[in-house]
Amino acid sequence: MNPYHIFKIVPLSVLQMLARFVAWIILRMPSASIMRTVKINMALIAPTLSHLQKQALTKEIIYHQCLTSIESIKTWAMPPDWSITQIRDVHNKDILLDGLASPNGMLAIVPHLGTWEMMNAWLNQFGSPTIMYKPVKGDITNNFILQGRARLNATLVPTDGSGVKAVFKTLKQGGFSIVLPDHVPDPSGGVIVPFFGIETLTSTLASKLASKTKCALVGLACIRRDDGHGFDIYCYKLDDPALYDRNTKTAAYALNLAMQRMIEDNYSHYMWGYRRFKHIPMIDNPYNTDEANLAAFIRTHHTKVDNK
């Protein structure tokens, strides 16, 4: 039996208590990789925050990321109906329904914001999306995730040319797909455009699909409720004409701006423990540089921004 199946037995409330305990430990380990990543991300995009403000924000981010991780595992272990019952409110659902009704298909834009895995089962009630899937490391983990996703209506396709063609075909037929466009792509699959004001390598997949198919674009986020009882889904209408521009840099930048607005609504729920800025032209990888070089880059970069 796959050891992950223990998550099917343990109640979500108990798992969330465990996640909070793990977060409490991580916060007392300043040298931990995730702590360093969050610290660097905050230094890059929020240099004006005070030390105390950054401490408080980092605490919230670590807690939410630990909760998201364990909730995602629970979601994969449970049948789809379980995940659907966790959803309490859907905000601006009409935006999603309008998108699904588009004759050109719909592309759901889902950044690493909140517990997006919880939302998959709920979204699959509206049809059979085509979703690109990249195997994770470790056969046990990969098989567990695949079993969880196999219970959905989705058609999983590889993250290569054949997968892109399958998504394109689905959209052309009026179907829908889901993309997490804030992954760090291979250099050949991205362009350098700002994200939270930092010029960084950005995926062009969603922008190219939108430009070629004129599909509806709908932003989605699944956010843990403040009262601790379930999750709310937020739908965002993404209709800026620049999102469909044939110039990939123009479209990718517009998409980054759209995602930034989504993230700013629930800032600490974003996965800031992810090394989103691995490729910055002026400094390359800030997560591998020393503090002096990073500080110099941040000082120079934000001086230029302030002077514009």
Side-chain angles (χ1 to χ4, degrees):
M1 186 178 96
N2 192 306
Y4 281 107
H5 287 301
I6 189 67
F7 284 84
K8 188 173 184 178
I9 302 169
V10 181
L12 179 61
S13 58
V14 174
L15 293 173
Q16 288 173 327
M17 286 177 59
L18 176 61
R20 291 187 181 94
F21 177 67
V22 171
W24 181 84
I25 293 174
I26 291 173
L27 287 165
R28 281 147 184 81
M29 300 171 61
S31 61
S33 176
I34 187 174
M35 286 288 287
R36 186 170 185 273
T37 298
V38 172
K39 178 183 176 182
I40 291 172
N41 283 338
M42 293 301 100
L44 286 168
I45 69 168
T48 59
L49 292 183
S50 69
H51 177 68
L52 287 177
Q53 287 173 320
K54 286 179 181 177
Q55 275 191 323
L57 186 55
T58 297
K59 180 179 179 180
E60 288 184 38
I61 289 167
I62 295 296
Y63 270 101
H64 284 306
Q65 190 156 332
C66 287
L67 284 164
T68 292
S69 297
I70 211 159
E71 289 160 357
S72 296
I73 298 172
K74 178 69 172 177
T75 298
W76 294 322
M78 301 298 288
D81 285 348
W82 178 86
S83 294
I84 293 170
T85 61
Q86 307 306 310
I87 306 302
R88 297 294 181 262
D89 291 320
V90 180
H91 302 264
N92 300 315
K93 187 177 179 180
D94 58 308
I95 293 174
L96 173 64
L97 297 179
D98 288 345
L100 290 167
S102 168
N104 296 325
M106 185 197 82
L107 191 61
I109 300 300
V110 183
H112 290 80
L113 177 63
T115 308
W116 60 90
E117 292 290 352
M118 187 75 72
M119 186 170 59
N120 271 348
W122 180 86
L123 191 55
N124 271 250
Q125 296 177 103
F126 297 96
S128 179
T130 299
I131 304 173
M132 301 180 77
Y133 175 75
K134 183 177 181 179
V136 300
K137 293 181 180 179
D139 289 342
I140 293 176
T141 301
N142 188 58
N143 290 338
F144 172 68
I145 296 174
L146 278 176
Q147 287 174 9
R149 290 185 173 170
R151 300 189 190 104
L152 305 176
N153 294 323
T155 299
L156 301 182
V157 296
T159 55
D160 57 19
S162 65
V164 173
K165 288 180 181 178
V167 172
F168 181 79
K169 182 179 179 181
T170 295
L171 295 174
K172 292 293 285 185
Q173 293 175 343
F176 74 100
S177 183
I178 305 165
V179 173
L180 277 72
D182 53 343
H183 276 295
V184 177
D186 293 328
S188 61
V191 291
I192 302 293
V193 291
F195 182 59
F196 277 88
I198 302 294
E199 297 267 349
T200 192
L201 186 64
T202 298
S203 172
T204 59
L205 174 61
S207 301
K208 288 179 178 178
L209 288 169
S211 174
K212 290 179 179 179
T213 67
K214 306 303 178 185
C215 61
L217 297 174
V218 176
L220 295 174
C222 182
I223 303 298
R224 186 177 309 101
R225 289 171 63 102
D226 291 337
D227 61 10
H229 298 294
F231 302 78
D232 284 357
I233 290 176
Y234 294 83
C235 307
Y236 296 84
K237 188 173 184 178
L238 309 183
D239 57 357
D240 181 351
L243 292 165
Y244 297 89
D245 201 290
R246 290 186 178 183
N247 183 302
T248 52
K249 293 191 74 169
T250 299
Y253 179 36
L255 187 55
N256 275 354
L257 282 176
M259 286 193 291
Q260 180 174 334
R261 295 186 189 105
M262 292 172 62
I263 293 165
E264 286 172 343
D265 282 350
N266 291 282
Y267 196 87
S268 62
H269 289 254
Y270 187 66
M271 197 169 72
W272 291 113
Y274 178 54
R275 298 188 171 192
R276 175 64 186 86
F277 302 101
K278 281 195 291 188
H279 299 289
I280 298 176
M282 289 178 61
I283 197 172
D284 191 27
N285 190 338
Y287 309 103
N288 290 341
T289 193
D290 59 64
E291 289 189 11
N293 282 334
L294 180 62
F297 166 75
I298 292 170
R299 188 165 53 250
T300 302
H301 170 77
H302 287 285
T303 297
K304 289 180 179 178
V305 172
D306 292 341
N307 289 335
K308 284 185 179 180

